[in-house]
Structures are given as C-alpha cells and as structure tokens.
Amino acid sequence: MAEEKVAVKAAKVADPIAATIDGATQQMIKRAQELGIETVFDRAVTMKPCNIGAQGTCCKNCAMGPCRLPLPKGGVADGDDRKGLCGATANTIAARNFARMVAAGAAAHSDHGRSVAEVFLSVARKETGDYRIKDPDKLLAIAPHYGVATTVDADGETRDRDIDEIALEVAEIAMAEWGKPDGELLGLKRAPAPLYERWKKLGELPRNIDREIVDIMHRTHMGVDQDYKNIVKQCTRASLADGWGGSMIATDLQDVMFGTPYPLQAEANMGIMKEDHVNIIIHGHEPILSEMIVAASQSQEMIDYAKKSGAKGIQLGGICCTGNEILQRHGVPPAGTFLQQELAIVTGACDAMVVDVQCVFQNLANVAKCFHTKLITTHPMARMEQDNVIHIEFDEHHAMEDAKRIVTMAIDNFNNRGAEVMIPHQKATQIAGFSVESIKYHLGGSFRGDYYTLNDNIINGRIRGVAGVVGCNNARTRHNEAHIKVVKELIKNDVLVLTTGCNGIACAMEGLLVPETAAVYCGPGLKEVCETVGIPPVLHLGSCVDNSRILLAATEVVKAGGLGKDLRDLPVAGSAPEWMSEKAISIGHYFVSSGVYTVFGVTLPVSGAPVFQDYLFNGCEKLYGGMWDLIEDPIEHAQAMIAHIDKKRKELGIDRARERVLMDMADRQKLEA
Ligand code: XCC
Ligand code: SF4
C-alpha cells in the first residue's frame, strides 16, 4: 500500500483537444508530448494562476508588502475595510495595478513606434541605404497631421515641396512626440472634433508619449495617487498616447517606408512550412527587422545559396504581429498565433527562428535545444539567458548585411535537420492586407473613394454595425475557440468585423478571411454587401499597433456622415476574446476612452475591487461613451456587443431601417421558395 502511494505519477500533460480547436495545433501538442517536450499547454495544466493576483488585489509596490487583499467570501456589500499596511484600499491597489499594465502596454507599442521613427529619421537624413520611402503618397497624406506643409507659395504660385524635405520635417516632428516639453500630442486632432473637445474638457490630453508613461510609474509608486478615479484619468492619457500616438505613428511611418497594405492572397497555419525548403520563422513585432529578412530571402544570391545547399527554396513564415506586418505587405504567410510559437519548432523543420521584441516565450530556447533550430535574438533589449540562443544585433545602418547573415545561418542549418520532421498539413487561404485606404477603395468605390457606401449600408441596415475584434491567445482558455465563436456570431448577425493581431491569424487559420465565407456564415445583409463588393466579412487590418487603423477607420465613418458626430455615436464595439498582454489593456483603454464599448474575455484583474470594477464597467460610459466589460462566454460576449450596436442604432434613429431590410430579405426568400 505504502509503496503504491509513492509510485511516481506520470507528469500531467495537456489534453490536446481541450487545449485548442485547431487540428494542426492538436497534432503538434501530441507530437511534443511524444517527444517528451513540454509546451505552454502542459504548463497551463500543471500551474494554476494566483487567485489574488487574478483579482488585481495583490500590491507589491513597496517592501512592507506584498499586501494581499482577496475578496472576502461573503463579498463587500456590507462595507469594505480591507487595506494594505499603508492603508491602500482594494480600489487603489487594483487601479494602480491596472494603470501599470496600461503603462507597460503603451510603452511596448510606443517604443516600437519610436524604433520606426528612428529608422525613418535615418532614411530622411539619408544615413541608410537599406530602407527607403516606398509610399510617398502616404507621406503626403500624413504630413499635414504632423503640421508639415506639402506645398509652398512662391512668386504668387503654389508649388509642391521637395519630398525629401517633407520627410525630414515629418521625421523630426514625429520623434519629438515622445518627449517634447510643451503642447499636446498631434495625433489627437485626427479624432472627430467633439471627441477631442471631450478629452480636453476632462483635462486628459496627453502631453507627450514618454511623459504619460513615466507619470503612471510615479503616480503608482507607494504613497502617491490613492484615488482610483484620478488613476483612471491617467490611464486615459497614457493609453491615448499609445493609440493616437505611438501606435499611430508606427503605422503611419511603416506604411511610408514599407508601403500601405492593399488586399492580397496568402495562406495561414503551420502547413505553410515546407519540408524541402529552408524554413525561417520570424516572430515578434517590429517590421524593421522582418522587412529586411523578407528582402534578403527574396534576393537571388540567397535563393541560389539555398538551392546549392540542397533546398528547393526559402520559405518564410510569421508568428505574432511581425508576421502580420509582412503578411499585410508581402503576403508572407503566418505559421501560427502566439500559442503556436513553440510548436513551429516542434515540426523539426524550423531551420531558424528569428525574434525581436514582445510575446516571445523564453521556453523557445528549451524547445529549440531538442532540435537543430537556431534561435536568434536580434534586439538589444530582448536577449535570453539560455546558452543555445544566438544573438545577432540588428542595426538599421547595416540592416541588409545583418539580414543576410541570419538567412545564411538558416540555410547552413538546413542539412542539420534530424529525422523527426513532422509538418502538419493544415493551412487555409486568406485575403489580408486591408487598411483605412483600401477599405475606402473597396467599400467606397474608385469613383467616390470614401466611406459613404459603408455608411449607406449601415444606415439602411444591411450592415448592422462594425466590430473591432483583436488581441492575443491565452493558454488559460481553449486556443482560438473564443476568437472564432465571437467573430462567427458577429458576422451571423450582420456585423462587419475588423481584425488585428492574433485574432487576425486565428480567423485566417479558420478560413474566415475569404469572400466565400460570407455565403456560409453571414447574415443576409452582410452577405449581400460582401458578395456585391467582393470582400470577406472579416477584414484583416494588421498588427497590434495597427489598431490605430481601427480608430482612423471609425473616424472616416464619422466623417462620411449620417451616423453621428463622434465615435461614441457609432454602432460599433470592440472585443479581445482571448487577451493576455499588457498591451491589450492599453488598447482596451484607448478604445474605451475613445468612446467604444469594449468587451474582454478570459479574465480581468479587477474583480477583487468591485467599486473600481464598476467604475470601469459603468462609470466610464458617462465620461467617454465607451466602457469596459468582461464576458467569458463567447456567444454572450458577442451578443452584448450586438446589443450595444443596436442601442446606438436606436439612438441614431436607424433601428427601423434595419427591420425593413430584414423584412425585405425574408419576403424575397419567401418569393424565391
Ligand atoms: Fe502578442 Fe501582437 Fe497579443 Fe498576439 S495579439 S499575442 S500582443 S502578437 Ni496584438
Ligand atoms: Fe502594502 Fe501599501 Fe506597500 Fe502596497 S504600497 S505593498 S499596499 S504597504
């Protein structure tokens, strides 16, 4: 008996079916388990999250703590006297923790933007030959938003200014957005005027990007801001500095240097990897690196070298948002979402995985150790302690050289593969590459080239509303299940979906990003629009920083008229069904403070402070017109968004129009029957 008790229990591992809805991912989880390689899915089974942290009420902001304030079993209806050693209430603690997530998220996006701006400045100063201005029209379009004139008046006539001159001015002004001593962020004025005026009245206009982030770190230090409402105010400033600042500048300047995305066809999922090719997986966020790897691997020199080494060619694949960047502009297929990063190596066919910043698992190094895969870090800010990781620092001044070194290393590694190659066959076709500009073209038509047609279809009710569904995967919930269920429920109810980030990859893998999807999954109104225009009902707008495109698309809708004067008036809603990153909190808060009802799935670390939570879920609506919500069940999640969309339709007086359209459709179907 005693012996039986000490018998070694088999290590607990994940059930692949319970872990993900995706066949390729299930297959590779099993494969990893057969090989004795542990992945995030297994760790999610063996390690439980901390209950108090999950409630948002663990404070470790000073060494008298950590002070832990779990919600009492009986709730706090009869009063709440929980406090930390210093007296900080649950509201203060949860709000401070929330604010620090906003700060980290805004910092990550905005620092990415800063890198892009720095490279753009080098381009403008002609210090690098590897990058250039690929889209001068975009530069001319954004210049006025940076206060840069595109024409000059001389001798009574107006002439176009030199493009290099414009570039240099835009670059210098953009760089100053991070640290200028006076004024306010320039991007805010791109919002509809009433929205800008509201931020101003609330005293929440961000001053410069870095300052708002530093402000949060100071304010949430022990013994500073101890009023959750005032802390939320600062969350607004910092998150706006992300959405209408750092992220927007990143998107702007990436488009200028690498091209504004236009629709293109590609594939998605691990089946894009090829056994007879050199497979290079690019993972992280900054296209500064991935753009160059794309260029290097398309060079004849590298292709010839790959062939000489016995491969048929070079296959690139993306993971996470840098994957989205090169998908949008070059059609490079994503090999998977955030949660598939380890599994891309488990295929045994990944000759190199190149990473820069954000969302990169440290466990990649442990997985890579079991295969021939070269794991290459490239960013001075992001290195790994494991000794099998190679660091090749990437520098814009010799970018092509660095990229070729990396690609060469991958090619040289091709013949080191072991026998254990197993690439899942699953992959789906997708149409990606949407942008504010291309939506204008597709939904407005080349003649009018504006958002009128979209607005008409919203007003007449064929399109019920628009949803931004974005964000990560989270190993605490079944991979991709909520992403797909939320999106399907929305399009079934005639809501057009704009997607970014790992939601975009999830939708692509599921085959939702093709026009043919409309006939299968959409309600009658949205189906009709998609079929007439030839677009998918889910439009992929890119990476996490490209959520700024969603803000600007919504602004275009306001401008086109007929749907109110402010983002808060629009029949729109936001969602992050499987979020995990601090960046998602920053995004969520700039959506909310821009007037959008925003629903998160999985969890939100605020439940331990019910008063603060209520302020986010209800109080914010009075201030901003937008508010937070947490709904785990994907169908209820989508239905809450639809209810909000319907509420806005009613306020706009266009709820009747939709009833008529549906009647018409039903009548028509009856006639057809
Ligand atoms: Fe990372 Fe951007 Fe999240 Fe995906 S979605 S897990 S942040 S890669 Ni933006
Ligand atoms: Fe505890 Fe206050 Fe210190 Fe936080 S700041 S750890 S609540 S004493």
Side-chain angles (χ1 to χ4, degrees):
M1 281 297 277
E3 264 175 38
E4 261 179 50
K5 263 188 195 155
V6 285
V8 188
K9 265 206 287 172
K12 253 181 141 188
V13 293
D15 167 5
I17 309 280
T20 174
I21 62 164
D22 173 54
T25 308
Q26 290 168 356
Q27 185 188 338
M28 294 321 286
I29 294 172
K30 259 187 237 151
R31 177 67 176 157
Q33 291 170 351
E34 279 162 20
L35 297 171
I37 300 167
E38 181 205 79
T39 66
V40 62
F41 298 98
D42 303 316
R43 290 188 292 278
V45 172
T46 52
M47 188 182 173
K48 292 275 161 271
C50 164
N51 175 45
I52 304 164
Q55 294 181 20
T57 46
C58 171
C59 181
K60 51 183 178 57
N61 292 12
C62 89
M64 298 197 290
C67 298
R68 310 192 307 162
L69 275 56
L71 204 59
K73 283 229 163 58
V76 288
D78 302 327
D80 188 356
D81 55 8
R82 292 174 295 159
K83 41 179 111 56
L85 255 63
C86 65
T89 63
N91 295 326
T92 296
I93 291 172
R96 285 198 299 220
N97 288 336
F98 187 85
R100 285 193 168 201
M101 288 196 284
V102 171
H109 282 149
S110 299
D111 217 35
H112 164 168
R114 187 199 322 262
S115 299
V116 175
E118 280 170 350
V119 173
F120 183 62
L121 185 61
S122 305
V123 170
R125 286 181 178 157
K126 304 207 182 305
E127 291 168 358
T128 165
D130 292 340
Y131 300 93
R132 62 191 177 88
I133 294 171
K134 199 168 170 186
D135 193 344
D137 290 338
K138 178 90 182 201
L139 178 59
L140 294 176
I142 62 162
H145 299 302
Y146 293 81
V148 175
T150 55
T151 56
V152 60
D153 293 324
D155 309 327
E157 55 172 329
T158 306
R159 272 186 291 119
D160 289 339
R161 282 185 73 197
D162 178 49
I163 196 87
D164 291 338
E165 229 175 81
I166 297 173
L168 191 59
E169 260 179 57
V170 168
E172 280 167 355
I173 292 172
M175 280 303 301
E177 289 296 273
W178 274 268
K180 60 188 180 190
D182 319 296
E184 65 199 39
L185 272 198
L186 296 169
L188 304 165
K189 286 242 166 77
R190 288 163 88 164
L195 177 52
Y196 172 85
E197 290 303 329
R198 194 165 55 254
W199 292 327
K200 190 170 179 181
K201 218 174 100 202
L202 290 167
E204 293 175 355
L205 295 173
R207 296 153 287 187
N208 68 53
I209 299 165
D210 286 346
R211 178 163 185 181
E212 303 310 347
I213 295 163
V214 170
D215 181 313
I216 287 188
M217 298 315 287
H218 176 190
R219 188 184 293 258
T220 57
H221 179 276
M222 194 274 162
V224 188
D225 201 351
Q226 311 185 95
D227 170 6
Y228 64 91
K229 291 183 184 168
N230 206 39
I231 294 172
V232 169
K233 238 174 127 118
Q234 184 56 25
C235 291
T236 300
R237 280 197 202 94
S239 68
L240 293 177
D242 173 357
W244 298 88
S247 283
M248 198 169 276
I249 299 172
T251 299
D252 275 352
L253 300 181
Q254 286 171 184
D255 282 356
V256 171
M257 284 192 288
F258 311 135
T260 304
Y262 278 88
L264 44 74
Q265 188 176 320
E267 293 177 320
N269 211 346
M270 286 184 281
I272 61 101
M273 295 172 76
K274 295 198 182 104
E275 186 149 6
D276 53 9
H277 279 57
V278 175
N279 292 300
I280 304 176
I281 301 292
I282 315 175
H283 173 21
H285 278 79
E286 294 181 359
I288 301 294
L289 165 77
S290 53
E291 276 286 326
M292 246 346 102
I293 305 263
V294 173
S297 62
Q298 285 172 350
S299 72
Q300 201 54 47
E301 181 194 348
M302 287 293 119
I303 295 171
D304 289 345
Y305 186 55
K307 289 190 174 151
K308 229 177 76 193
S309 308
K312 291 232 168 80
I314 303 168
Q315 177 65 49
L316 295 182
I319 300 261
C320 284
C321 284
T322 209
N324 280 325
E325 301 279 6
I326 48 180
L327 163 70
Q328 295 292 92
R329 299 192 179 89
H330 303 284
V332 171
T337 60
F338 171 68
L339 280 184
Q340 289 166 278
Q341 52 185 289
E342 293 160 309
L343 304 178
I345 299 179
V346 174
T347 59
C350 176
D351 300 304
M353 182 175 277
V354 193
V355 304
D356 54 33
V357 286
Q358 302 166 23
C359 303
V360 177
F361 286 180
Q362 185 166 2
N363 198 55
L364 288 177
N366 305 329
V367 179
K369 223 177 247 174
C370 307
F371 296 90
H372 76 302
T373 305
K374 298 257 188 256
L375 178 61
I376 306 167
T377 55
T378 57
H379 202 287
M381 198 186 262
R383 301 185 65 154
M384 287 187 198
E385 69 180 280
Q386 289 98 322
D387 55 16
N388 61 322
V389 181
I390 303 158
H391 187 72
I392 299 182
E393 203 147 300
F394 193 78
D395 184 316
E396 79 245 30
H397 297 99
H398 36 78
M400 195 50 163
E401 207 184 305
D402 296 339
K404 283 192 175 162
R405 220 178 119 204
I406 291 168
V407 174
T408 304
M409 192 175 271
I411 297 172
D412 288 337
N413 200 26
F414 175 71
N415 287 309
N416 295 333
R417 281 191 203 166
E420 66 275 12
V421 172
M422 184 198 272
I423 303 173
H425 66 269
Q426 286 94 336
K427 58 179 176 181
T429 302
Q430 62 168 325
I431 306 293
F434 288 90
S435 56
V436 175
E437 293 82 352
S438 68
I439 295 177
K440 207 174 257 190
Y441 174 76
H442 273 272
L443 275 169
S446 51
F447 181 59
R448 287 204 286 186
D450 217 315
Y451 277 57
Y452 296 119
T453 316
L454 176 59
N455 283 31
D456 283 350
N457 279 302
I458 295 174
I459 292 165
N460 70 28
R462 278 192 193 90
I463 296 176
R464 190 173 192 157
V466 181
V469 189
V470 309
C472 326
N473 291 121
N474 184 319
R476 297 292 178 196
T477 184
R478 197 177 181 205
H479 171 237
N480 283 1
E481 182 172 61
H483 278 318
I484 300 307
K485 281 193 175 167
V486 167
V487 168
K488 280 189 181 166
E489 184 68 11
L490 290 168
I491 60 178
K492 184 176 122 190
N493 286 284
D494 293 319
V495 176
L496 177 71
V497 172
L498 307 181
T499 176
T500 64
C502 288
N503 180 273
I505 303 173
C507 290
M509 285 163 49
E510 192 68 17
L512 294 180
L513 302 189
V514 288
E516 295 75 28
T517 305
V520 187
Y521 296 112
C522 289
L526 182 59
K527 171 172 175 275
E528 196 184 332
V529 174
C530 288
E531 286 178 345
T532 311
V533 188
I535 53 163
V538 185
L539 304 179
H540 194 342
L541 292 191
S543 68
C544 314
V545 294
D546 290 330
N547 284 314
S548 63
R549 296 193 202 274
I550 298 184
L551 296 176
L552 292 177
T555 303
E556 289 293 329
V557 170
V558 171
K559 270 196 226 151
L563 291 171
K565 299 214 158 359
D566 191 342
L567 300 193
R568 67 188 290 170
D569 302 332
L570 298 176
V572 304
S575 156
E578 301 181 23
W579 79 281
M580 63 85 206
S581 155
E582 292 164 315
K583 290 178 286 173
I585 296 292
S586 178
I587 295 167
H589 200 69
Y590 72 64
F591 267 56
V592 165
S593 50
S594 299
V596 181
Y597 171 55
T598 304
V599 193
F600 272 41
V602 194
T603 180
L604 206 59
V606 296
S607 61
V611 174
F612 168 59
Q613 174 174 292
D614 182 67
Y615 190 64
L616 292 180
F617 288 11
N618 298 300
C620 279
E621 187 175 13
K622 282 176 215 91
L623 295 175
Y624 307 120
M627 61 289 196
W628 282 87
D629 209 345
L630 166 67
I631 304 175
E632 279 178 72
D633 178 81
I635 301 298
E636 283 171 30
H637 182 117
Q639 282 300 336
M641 296 166 73
I642 293 165
H644 180 80
I645 284 170
D646 285 349
K647 182 175 113 186
K648 292 295 165 183
R649 292 190 67 88
K650 195 159 185 195
E651 285 170 14
L652 288 165
I654 55 169
D655 46 332
R656 284 295 166 76
R658 188 172 150 75
E659 280 163 25
R660 260 200 313 279
V661 167
L662 291 183
M663 281 266 279
D664 289 346
M665 287 306 298
D667 288 347
R668 208 178 308 161
Q669 274 158 0
K670 237 182 268 162
L671 281 177
E672 277 165 8

